Amino acid sequence: MVNIPTKLISLIPALPLVGFLINSMIALAWARRRKPVYPEQGRRVSEIVPSIIGCALPIASFVLSAWAFFDLREMEEGASLSSGSLFTWLSTPLFSVDFAFLVDPLSAVMILVVTGVGSIIHVYSVGYMHKDEGFARYFSYLNLFLFFMLLLVMGDNLLVLFVGWEGVGLCSYLLIGFWFTDPEKATCGKKAFVVNRIGDFGFLIGLFLILFAFQSQGQSGEGIFSYSFLTANKEWLAPLATTITLCLFIGATGKSAQIPLYVWLPDAMAGPTPVSALIHAATMVTAGIYMVARLGFLFALAPFTLHVIACIGLATALMAALIGLTQFDIKKVLAYSTVSQLGTMFLALGVGAYSAAIFHLVTHAFFKACLFLSSGSVIHACHDQDIRNMGGLFKKMPVTGVTFLVATLAIAGIPPLAGFFSKDEILWNTLLYGSWPFYGVALFTAGITAFYMFRLFVYTFLGKTRHPHPDHIHESPRVMTIPLIILAGLAAVGGFLGVPEVLGGGNRFHHWLSGILPVSAGHEGNPALELGLMGLSTVWALVISLLSVGLYSRRLDWPAVLTRRIRFLYELVYQKFKVDEIYDALIVRPIRVISEKLFWKGFDEKLIDGFLVHGWTDTAAFSARLVSRVQTGLVGHYLLYFWVALVVLLVWAV
């Protein structure tokens, strides 16, 4: 096999960037016409060009990523591929930073997920966004999103990662508010942008603290933010490790939607559904997981931070799963499911099971992308997102129904689908390196997930059709169903990447990352116990899934009797624990009042505009008017002024 030239590694992120530039120019050219973007006779041609550019370049990136991955497989453990320094990005007296890309086992996994699942979503978008006036603009944003995510995972130092980190935040704003003429959707985009900036502030403080830690001990020079330098000199960071990692984790709570900064993710459903799939499966929300795993050597120096991460992850997983039980918007249910699954990944990171977290990230990308794109197919057919107006869609949309079912089985943890292996590995590691209470809550949360996902499936696909126009419902075109089939296949077999040793597998995924990620130590596994717990989680998932199907198949309104008895609790969960309202009352409104009354009306209008700007001009104008009254043009008046001035001078001199 021919090895990939190292310079070609740079093309992996560069190709989507080229796609962004070309499609942006097309979108700008169309916008300048000031005419309907898609005249009927030219629609097909107009869509073909952005589609080919928008899809072909990410697919080419995937091919290069796969080439790099197979090259890496042939190399010895711990080896990596590097583009070398492309250019010196920053050069200061304190430090310098080169712009370079790195492909090691961890980033190889990430680029395969980003470009592979991302490319499938791009192809699906060709059908979903058909006839949309912003077709070319949409693909330019989508390509840009992929570019920044690849920058994030391929950068060989923290500053390049931070550029990608900020870039995906920008793209989420652009894509969530894609239909910006709708004020509600535009507001959701702004919400995502603002909430992420809060987390990014914590991340930035963490970077400054890393620089301070080295500078205070006389360490400076080239590559101070590179992973190789940080790993080799991690002992210099030990005194500040807890503070640094807590700050970095604040950034992760923003990007990966954890308590208290998760509130933007459910509202991200305002964007087109493929965007939701891209954000939830392949790009933005995985950034926090990747960052913590990448800096695992640093987080391992801060046990307190790891405990905080485990607690936050577990609490987020449970809370989001409970909210998912009561929602009726098909995309909102999936959004809270994402928040919950991300919480499960952070739980794994918190107990030190880094490879288990990345494994679940990969399988989650498969089945969550499949679920979102399947829901997009349903929305495309029904023009509705409320599952109470659906039902009986399995017969009308068999491909979508089957793929949604496969992904539902996977996320519910039914063996041997992908979610079973990754979730079970997290549960096992939670018990091994965490505690029984943590394990119990995680297992309970997994059951809730199975329950609300089958509730969603029954509501949408089984029973009688409740749609007002059932005859109009039909299966989506092939450009949408083929990506669904591929993702469903990955959701079905993806778990075999990491079959545990207790089941006769070699846990290849864990071994692949073992040279990069820290490995928890101190506890010996008990094969009998592991098998027993595996059986328990399987039975638990099956029972809960069947219970959900049985209850909702008989009567969709069966929870009504229950909710009448616990109406307050149900309403509290249905209204998402009123977290948005609490934030609005405690943070948004006070800041708005302070901004308007103090900074705008008081400081800006009265002090700056009123006194410092207009005050001086008013004073000058008044002085000019005063002096103008003296200039009368009469000689007698000027003689009088002269004598008065002379008298004043004489009096002053005496």
Side-chain angles (χ1 to χ4, degrees), residues 512-544:
W512 172 256
L513 296 175
S514 59
I516 297 295
L517 302 179
V519 179
S520 298
H523 299 278
E524 290 294 330
N526 183 331
L529 179 61
E530 186 177 358
L531 280 174
L533 294 177
M534 197 177 290
L536 173 64
S537 63
T538 302
V539 171
W540 173 246
L542 283 170
V543 168
I544 295 297

PDB file of all heavy atoms in Angstrom, residues 512-544:
ATOM      1  N   TRP A 512      -6.733   0.334  20.300  1.00  0.00           N
ATOM      2  CA  TRP A 512      -6.332   1.332  19.305  1.00  0.00           C
ATOM      3  C   TRP A 512      -5.971   2.657  19.972  1.00  0.00           C
ATOM      4  O   TRP A 512      -5.033   3.332  19.579  1.00  0.00           O
ATOM      5  CB  TRP A 512      -7.480   1.534  18.304  1.00  0.00           C
ATOM      6  CG  TRP A 512      -7.298   2.653  17.334  1.00  0.00           C
ATOM      7  CD1 TRP A 512      -7.908   3.865  17.373  1.00  0.00           C
ATOM      8  CD2 TRP A 512      -6.436   2.684  16.193  1.00  0.00           C
ATOM      9  NE1 TRP A 512      -7.494   4.647  16.329  1.00  0.00           N
ATOM     10  CE2 TRP A 512      -6.582   3.938  15.577  1.00  0.00           C
ATOM     11  CE3 TRP A 512      -5.558   1.764  15.622  1.00  0.00           C
ATOM     12  CZ2 TRP A 512      -5.882   4.309  14.433  1.00  0.00           C
ATOM     13  CZ3 TRP A 512      -4.857   2.125  14.475  1.00  0.00           C
ATOM     14  CH2 TRP A 512      -5.032   3.386  13.895  1.00  0.00           C
ATOM     15  N   LEU A 513      -6.714   3.011  21.028  1.00  0.00           N
ATOM     16  CA  LEU A 513      -6.499   4.298  21.703  1.00  0.00           C
ATOM     17  C   LEU A 513      -5.618   4.188  22.936  1.00  0.00           C
ATOM     18  O   LEU A 513      -5.326   5.197  23.581  1.00  0.00           O
ATOM     19  CB  LEU A 513      -7.852   4.912  22.115  1.00  0.00           C
ATOM     20  CG  LEU A 513      -8.795   5.285  20.963  1.00  0.00           C
ATOM     21  CD1 LEU A 513     -10.132   5.759  21.520  1.00  0.00           C
ATOM     22  CD2 LEU A 513      -8.179   6.377  20.102  1.00  0.00           C
ATOM     23  N   SER A 514      -5.197   2.999  23.274  1.00  0.00           N
ATOM     24  CA  SER A 514      -4.492   2.814  24.542  1.00  0.00           C
ATOM     25  C   SER A 514      -3.153   3.548  24.594  1.00  0.00           C
ATOM     26  O   SER A 514      -2.688   3.914  25.673  1.00  0.00           O
ATOM     27  CB  SER A 514      -4.262   1.312  24.814  1.00  0.00           C
ATOM     28  OG  SER A 514      -3.501   0.757  23.757  1.00  0.00           O
ATOM     29  N   GLY A 515      -2.530   3.790  23.452  1.00  0.00           N
ATOM     30  CA  GLY A 515      -1.248   4.500  23.463  1.00  0.00           C
ATOM     31  C   GLY A 515      -1.397   6.001  23.575  1.00  0.00           C
ATOM     32  O   GLY A 515      -0.408   6.721  23.774  1.00  0.00           O
ATOM     33  N   ILE A 516      -2.623   6.505  23.432  1.00  0.00           N
ATOM     34  CA  ILE A 516      -2.868   7.943  23.437  1.00  0.00           C
ATOM     35  C   ILE A 516      -3.575   8.406  24.702  1.00  0.00           C
ATOM     36  O   ILE A 516      -3.222   9.428  25.296  1.00  0.00           O
ATOM     37  CB  ILE A 516      -3.728   8.330  22.210  1.00  0.00           C
ATOM     38  CG1 ILE A 516      -2.974   8.022  20.920  1.00  0.00           C
ATOM     39  CG2 ILE A 516      -4.119   9.804  22.255  1.00  0.00           C
ATOM     40  CD1 ILE A 516      -1.722   8.860  20.732  1.00  0.00           C
ATOM     41  N   LEU A 517      -4.571   7.636  25.135  1.00  0.00           N
ATOM     42  CA  LEU A 517      -5.400   8.050  26.259  1.00  0.00           C
ATOM     43  C   LEU A 517      -4.946   7.393  27.552  1.00  0.00           C
ATOM     44  O   LEU A 517      -4.487   6.240  27.538  1.00  0.00           O
ATOM     45  CB  LEU A 517      -6.864   7.683  25.980  1.00  0.00           C
ATOM     46  CG  LEU A 517      -7.467   8.291  24.710  1.00  0.00           C
ATOM     47  CD1 LEU A 517      -8.912   7.834  24.552  1.00  0.00           C
ATOM     48  CD2 LEU A 517      -7.396   9.814  24.773  1.00  0.00           C
ATOM     49  N   PRO A 518      -5.086   8.112  28.663  1.00  0.00           N
ATOM     50  CA  PRO A 518      -4.739   7.503  29.958  1.00  0.00           C
ATOM     51  C   PRO A 518      -5.646   6.311  30.234  1.00  0.00           C
ATOM     52  O   PRO A 518      -6.800   6.270  29.817  1.00  0.00           O
ATOM     53  CB  PRO A 518      -5.003   8.642  30.957  1.00  0.00           C
ATOM     54  CG  PRO A 518      -5.062   9.882  30.153  1.00  0.00           C
ATOM     55  CD  PRO A 518      -5.550   9.491  28.802  1.00  0.00           C
ATOM     56  N   VAL A 519      -5.112   5.345  30.954  1.00  0.00           N
ATOM     57  CA  VAL A 519      -5.871   4.145  31.301  1.00  0.00           C
ATOM     58  C   VAL A 519      -6.013   4.093  32.810  1.00  0.00           C
ATOM     59  O   VAL A 519      -5.030   4.230  33.539  1.00  0.00           O
ATOM     60  CB  VAL A 519      -5.153   2.871  30.800  1.00  0.00           C
ATOM     61  CG1 VAL A 519      -5.938   1.629  31.188  1.00  0.00           C
ATOM     62  CG2 VAL A 519      -4.967   2.941  29.289  1.00  0.00           C
ATOM     63  N   SER A 520      -7.256   3.938  33.274  1.00  0.00           N
ATOM     64  CA  SER A 520      -7.485   3.836  34.718  1.00  0.00           C
ATOM     65  C   SER A 520      -6.857   2.558  35.238  1.00  0.00           C
ATOM     66  O   SER A 520      -6.830   1.531  34.560  1.00  0.00           O
ATOM     67  CB  SER A 520      -8.989   3.840  35.013  1.00  0.00           C
ATOM     68  OG  SER A 520      -9.559   5.041  34.582  1.00  0.00           O
ATOM     69  N   ALA A 521      -6.361   2.648  36.438  1.00  0.00           N
ATOM     70  CA  ALA A 521      -5.724   1.474  37.033  1.00  0.00           C
ATOM     71  C   ALA A 521      -6.115   1.382  38.499  1.00  0.00           C
ATOM     72  O   ALA A 521      -6.677   2.300  39.080  1.00  0.00           O
ATOM     73  CB  ALA A 521      -4.201   1.580  36.896  1.00  0.00           C
ATOM     74  N   GLY A 522      -5.857   0.260  39.088  1.00  0.00           N
ATOM     75  CA  GLY A 522      -6.102   0.109  40.522  1.00  0.00           C
ATOM     76  C   GLY A 522      -7.196  -0.889  40.833  1.00  0.00           C
ATOM     77  O   GLY A 522      -7.368  -1.287  41.969  1.00  0.00           O
ATOM     78  N   HIS A 523      -7.989  -1.285  39.841  1.00  0.00           N
ATOM     79  CA  HIS A 523      -9.052  -2.254  40.091  1.00  0.00           C
ATOM     80  C   HIS A 523      -8.970  -3.360  39.051  1.00  0.00           C
ATOM     81  O   HIS A 523      -8.824  -3.098  37.868  1.00  0.00           O
ATOM     82  CB  HIS A 523     -10.432  -1.603  40.009  1.00  0.00           C
ATOM     83  CG  HIS A 523     -10.619  -0.516  41.028  1.00  0.00           C
ATOM     84  ND1 HIS A 523     -10.975  -0.754  42.324  1.00  0.00           N
ATOM     85  CD2 HIS A 523     -10.467   0.828  40.905  1.00  0.00           C
ATOM     86  CE1 HIS A 523     -11.049   0.397  42.976  1.00  0.00           C
ATOM     87  NE2 HIS A 523     -10.751   1.375  42.142  1.00  0.00           N
ATOM     88  N   GLU A 524      -9.066  -4.570  39.502  1.00  0.00           N
ATOM     89  CA  GLU A 524      -9.084  -5.707  38.593  1.00  0.00           C
ATOM     90  C   GLU A 524     -10.530  -6.057  38.280  1.00  0.00           C
ATOM     91  O   GLU A 524     -11.375  -6.159  39.154  1.00  0.00           O
ATOM     92  CB  GLU A 524      -8.380  -6.908  39.243  1.00  0.00           C
ATOM     93  CG  GLU A 524      -6.879  -6.725  39.376  1.00  0.00           C
ATOM     94  CD  GLU A 524      -6.174  -6.655  38.031  1.00  0.00           C
ATOM     95  OE1 GLU A 524      -6.663  -7.282  37.073  1.00  0.00           O
ATOM     96  OE2 GLU A 524      -5.127  -5.966  37.947  1.00  0.00           O
ATOM     97  N   GLY A 525     -10.815  -6.241  37.005  1.00  0.00           N
ATOM     98  CA  GLY A 525     -12.156  -6.619  36.612  1.00  0.00           C
ATOM     99  C   GLY A 525     -12.473  -8.059  36.986  1.00  0.00           C
ATOM    100  O   GLY A 525     -11.595  -8.916  37.050  1.00  0.00           O
ATOM    101  N   ASN A 526     -13.750  -8.281  37.246  1.00  0.00           N
ATOM    102  CA  ASN A 526     -14.217  -9.630  37.554  1.00  0.00           C
ATOM    103  C   ASN A 526     -15.081 -10.091  36.389  1.00  0.00           C
ATOM    104  O   ASN A 526     -16.194  -9.582  36.196  1.00  0.00           O
ATOM    105  CB  ASN A 526     -15.032  -9.587  38.855  1.00  0.00           C
ATOM    106  CG  ASN A 526     -15.483 -10.961  39.282  1.00  0.00           C
ATOM    107  OD1 ASN A 526     -15.678 -11.854  38.440  1.00  0.00           O
ATOM    108  ND2 ASN A 526     -15.651 -11.148  40.575  1.00  0.00           N
ATOM    109  N   PRO A 527     -14.595 -11.034  35.561  1.00  0.00           N
ATOM    110  CA  PRO A 527     -15.357 -11.442  34.370  1.00  0.00           C
ATOM    111  C   PRO A 527     -16.770 -11.898  34.695  1.00  0.00           C
ATOM    112  O   PRO A 527     -17.717 -11.591  33.958  1.00  0.00           O
ATOM    113  CB  PRO A 527     -14.517 -12.577  33.789  1.00  0.00           C
ATOM    114  CG  PRO A 527     -13.128 -12.318  34.287  1.00  0.00           C
ATOM    115  CD  PRO A 527     -13.295 -11.723  35.649  1.00  0.00           C
ATOM    116  N   ALA A 528     -16.928 -12.649  35.795  1.00  0.00           N
ATOM    117  CA  ALA A 528     -18.267 -13.139  36.151  1.00  0.00           C
ATOM    118  C   ALA A 528     -19.190 -11.971  36.472  1.00  0.00           C
ATOM    119  O   ALA A 528     -20.359 -11.935  36.043  1.00  0.00           O
ATOM    120  CB  ALA A 528     -18.168 -14.088  37.344  1.00  0.00           C
ATOM    121  N   LEU A 529     -18.656 -11.009  37.228  1.00  0.00           N
ATOM    122  CA  LEU A 529     -19.460  -9.828  37.569  1.00  0.00           C
ATOM    123  C   LEU A 529     -19.792  -9.018  36.318  1.00  0.00           C
ATOM    124  O   LEU A 529     -20.915  -8.537  36.149  1.00  0.00           O
ATOM    125  CB  LEU A 529     -18.690  -8.965  38.571  1.00  0.00           C
ATOM    126  CG  LEU A 529     -19.380  -7.669  39.015  1.00  0.00           C
ATOM    127  CD1 LEU A 529     -20.704  -7.977  39.698  1.00  0.00           C
ATOM    128  CD2 LEU A 529     -18.464  -6.858  39.938  1.00  0.00           C
ATOM    129  N   GLU A 530     -18.801  -8.880  35.439  1.00  0.00           N
ATOM    130  CA  GLU A 530     -19.035  -8.116  34.208  1.00  0.00           C
ATOM    131  C   GLU A 530     -20.129  -8.769  33.358  1.00  0.00           C
ATOM    132  O   GLU A 530     -21.013  -8.087  32.835  1.00  0.00           O
ATOM    133  CB  GLU A 530     -17.732  -8.005  33.404  1.00  0.00           C
ATOM    134  CG  GLU A 530     -17.870  -7.095  32.184  1.00  0.00           C
ATOM    135  CD  GLU A 530     -16.555  -6.937  31.429  1.00  0.00           C
ATOM    136  OE1 GLU A 530     -15.544  -7.498  31.876  1.00  0.00           O
ATOM    137  OE2 GLU A 530     -16.566  -6.251  30.393  1.00  0.00           O
ATOM    138  N   LEU A 531     -20.064 -10.103  33.241  1.00  0.00           N
ATOM    139  CA  LEU A 531     -21.098 -10.797  32.476  1.00  0.00           C
ATOM    140  C   LEU A 531     -22.463 -10.662  33.133  1.00  0.00           C
ATOM    141  O   LEU A 531     -23.493 -10.487  32.470  1.00  0.00           O
ATOM    142  CB  LEU A 531     -20.726 -12.280  32.339  1.00  0.00           C
ATOM    143  CG  LEU A 531     -19.692 -12.622  31.264  1.00  0.00           C
ATOM    144  CD1 LEU A 531     -19.305 -14.097  31.345  1.00  0.00           C
ATOM    145  CD2 LEU A 531     -20.248 -12.307  29.874  1.00  0.00           C
ATOM    146  N   GLY A 532     -22.464 -10.735  34.469  1.00  0.00           N
ATOM    147  CA  GLY A 532     -23.731 -10.601  35.198  1.00  0.00           C
ATOM    148  C   GLY A 532     -24.359  -9.230  34.986  1.00  0.00           C
ATOM    149  O   GLY A 532     -25.568  -9.112  34.729  1.00  0.00           O
ATOM    150  N   LEU A 533     -23.534  -8.179  35.068  1.00  0.00           N
ATOM    151  CA  LEU A 533     -24.048  -6.831  34.869  1.00  0.00           C
ATOM    152  C   LEU A 533     -24.474  -6.596  33.424  1.00  0.00           C
ATOM    153  O   LEU A 533     -25.435  -5.866  33.154  1.00  0.00           O
ATOM    154  CB  LEU A 533     -22.975  -5.809  35.273  1.00  0.00           C
ATOM    155  CG  LEU A 533     -22.625  -5.799  36.765  1.00  0.00           C
ATOM    156  CD1 LEU A 533     -21.514  -4.800  37.034  1.00  0.00           C
ATOM    157  CD2 LEU A 533     -23.842  -5.461  37.611  1.00  0.00           C
ATOM    158  N   MET A 534     -23.753  -7.245  32.511  1.00  0.00           N
ATOM    159  CA  MET A 534     -24.136  -7.139  31.098  1.00  0.00           C
ATOM    160  C   MET A 534     -25.525  -7.757  30.889  1.00  0.00           C
ATOM    161  O   MET A 534     -26.377  -7.192  30.183  1.00  0.00           O
ATOM    162  CB  MET A 534     -23.089  -7.858  30.242  1.00  0.00           C
ATOM    163  CG  MET A 534     -23.128  -7.507  28.774  1.00  0.00           C
ATOM    164  SD  MET A 534     -21.804  -8.337  27.887  1.00  0.00           S
ATOM    165  CE  MET A 534     -20.371  -7.470  28.509  1.00  0.00           C
ATOM    166  N   GLY A 535     -25.742  -8.893  31.522  1.00  0.00           N
ATOM    167  CA  GLY A 535     -27.060  -9.526  31.426  1.00  0.00           C
ATOM    168  C   GLY A 535     -28.137  -8.673  32.068  1.00  0.00           C
ATOM    169  O   GLY A 535     -29.248  -8.539  31.536  1.00  0.00           O
ATOM    170  N   LEU A 536     -27.792  -8.053  33.208  1.00  0.00           N
ATOM    171  CA  LEU A 536     -28.766  -7.193  33.894  1.00  0.00           C
ATOM    172  C   LEU A 536     -29.159  -6.013  33.014  1.00  0.00           C
ATOM    173  O   LEU A 536     -30.353  -5.698  32.874  1.00  0.00           O
ATOM    174  CB  LEU A 536     -28.148  -6.692  35.208  1.00  0.00           C
ATOM    175  CG  LEU A 536     -28.968  -5.646  35.974  1.00  0.00           C
ATOM    176  CD1 LEU A 536     -30.293  -6.236  36.433  1.00  0.00           C
ATOM    177  CD2 LEU A 536     -28.168  -5.113  37.174  1.00  0.00           C
ATOM    178  N   SER A 537     -28.174  -5.340  32.419  1.00  0.00           N
ATOM    179  CA  SER A 537     -28.492  -4.174  31.592  1.00  0.00           C
ATOM    180  C   SER A 537     -29.271  -4.575  30.344  1.00  0.00           C
ATOM    181  O   SER A 537     -30.151  -3.842  29.877  1.00  0.00           O
ATOM    182  CB  SER A 537     -27.215  -3.426  31.206  1.00  0.00           C
ATOM    183  OG  SER A 537     -26.387  -4.231  30.416  1.00  0.00           O
ATOM    184  N   THR A 538     -28.984  -5.783  29.811  1.00  0.00           N
ATOM    185  CA  THR A 538     -29.732  -6.256  28.635  1.00  0.00           C
ATOM    186  C   THR A 538     -31.191  -6.517  28.984  1.00  0.00           C
ATOM    187  O   THR A 538     -32.111  -6.082  28.280  1.00  0.00           O
ATOM    188  CB  THR A 538     -29.089  -7.544  28.083  1.00  0.00           C
ATOM    189  OG1 THR A 538     -27.728  -7.278  27.750  1.00  0.00           O
ATOM    190  CG2 THR A 538     -29.824  -8.029  26.856  1.00  0.00           C
ATOM    191  N   VAL A 539     -31.395  -7.240  30.088  1.00  0.00           N
ATOM    192  CA  VAL A 539     -32.777  -7.530  30.519  1.00  0.00           C
ATOM    193  C   VAL A 539     -33.508  -6.235  30.837  1.00  0.00           C
ATOM    194  O   VAL A 539     -34.683  -6.046  30.470  1.00  0.00           O
ATOM    195  CB  VAL A 539     -32.756  -8.477  31.747  1.00  0.00           C
ATOM    196  CG1 VAL A 539     -34.149  -8.615  32.335  1.00  0.00           C
ATOM    197  CG2 VAL A 539     -32.188  -9.841  31.362  1.00  0.00           C
ATOM    198  N   TRP A 540     -32.824  -5.331  31.502  1.00  0.00           N
ATOM    199  CA  TRP A 540     -33.410  -4.035  31.864  1.00  0.00           C
ATOM    200  C   TRP A 540     -33.851  -3.276  30.612  1.00  0.00           C
ATOM    201  O   TRP A 540     -34.974  -2.756  30.538  1.00  0.00           O
ATOM    202  CB  TRP A 540     -32.384  -3.246  32.665  1.00  0.00           C
ATOM    203  CG  TRP A 540     -32.720  -1.818  32.991  1.00  0.00           C
ATOM    204  CD1 TRP A 540     -32.084  -0.707  32.541  1.00  0.00           C
ATOM    205  CD2 TRP A 540     -33.750  -1.350  33.864  1.00  0.00           C
ATOM    206  NE1 TRP A 540     -32.639   0.429  33.057  1.00  0.00           N
ATOM    207  CE2 TRP A 540     -33.672   0.068  33.885  1.00  0.00           C
ATOM    208  CE3 TRP A 540     -34.734  -1.975  34.628  1.00  0.00           C
ATOM    209  CZ2 TRP A 540     -34.539   0.861  34.632  1.00  0.00           C
ATOM    210  CZ3 TRP A 540     -35.605  -1.180  35.376  1.00  0.00           C
ATOM    211  CH2 TRP A 540     -35.504   0.201  35.377  1.00  0.00           C
ATOM    212  N   ALA A 541     -32.996  -3.230  29.608  1.00  0.00           N
ATOM    213  CA  ALA A 541     -33.335  -2.510  28.369  1.00  0.00           C
ATOM    214  C   ALA A 541     -34.489  -3.188  27.645  1.00  0.00           C
ATOM    215  O   ALA A 541     -35.403  -2.513  27.143  1.00  0.00           O
ATOM    216  CB  ALA A 541     -32.100  -2.430  27.464  1.00  0.00           C
ATOM    217  N   LEU A 542     -34.471  -4.528  27.593  1.00  0.00           N
ATOM    218  CA  LEU A 542     -35.553  -5.242  26.898  1.00  0.00           C
ATOM    219  C   LEU A 542     -36.890  -5.047  27.595  1.00  0.00           C
ATOM    220  O   LEU A 542     -37.913  -4.776  26.944  1.00  0.00           O
ATOM    221  CB  LEU A 542     -35.210  -6.744  26.824  1.00  0.00           C
ATOM    222  CG  LEU A 542     -34.169  -7.149  25.778  1.00  0.00           C
ATOM    223  CD1 LEU A 542     -33.753  -8.599  25.974  1.00  0.00           C
ATOM    224  CD2 LEU A 542     -34.741  -6.954  24.369  1.00  0.00           C
ATOM    225  N   VAL A 543     -36.882  -5.187  28.918  1.00  0.00           N
ATOM    226  CA  VAL A 543     -38.141  -5.055  29.670  1.00  0.00           C
ATOM    227  C   VAL A 543     -38.723  -3.647  29.511  1.00  0.00           C
ATOM    228  O   VAL A 543     -39.918  -3.471  29.242  1.00  0.00           O
ATOM    229  CB  VAL A 543     -37.902  -5.385  31.165  1.00  0.00           C
ATOM    230  CG1 VAL A 543     -39.108  -4.986  32.011  1.00  0.00           C
ATOM    231  CG2 VAL A 543     -37.615  -6.872  31.332  1.00  0.00           C
ATOM    232  N   ILE A 544     -37.877  -2.647  29.670  1.00  0.00           N
ATOM    233  CA  ILE A 544     -38.363  -1.262  29.569  1.00  0.00           C
ATOM    234  C   ILE A 544     -38.855  -0.970  28.148  1.00  0.00           C
ATOM    235  O   ILE A 544     -39.888  -0.319  27.954  1.00  0.00           O
ATOM    236  CB  ILE A 544     -37.248  -0.283  29.967  1.00  0.00           C
ATOM    237  CG1 ILE A 544     -36.890  -0.455  31.441  1.00  0.00           C
ATOM    238  CG2 ILE A 544     -37.669   1.148  29.692  1.00  0.00           C
ATOM    239  CD1 ILE A 544     -37.997  -0.139  32.413  1.00  0.00           C
TER     240      ILE A 544
END
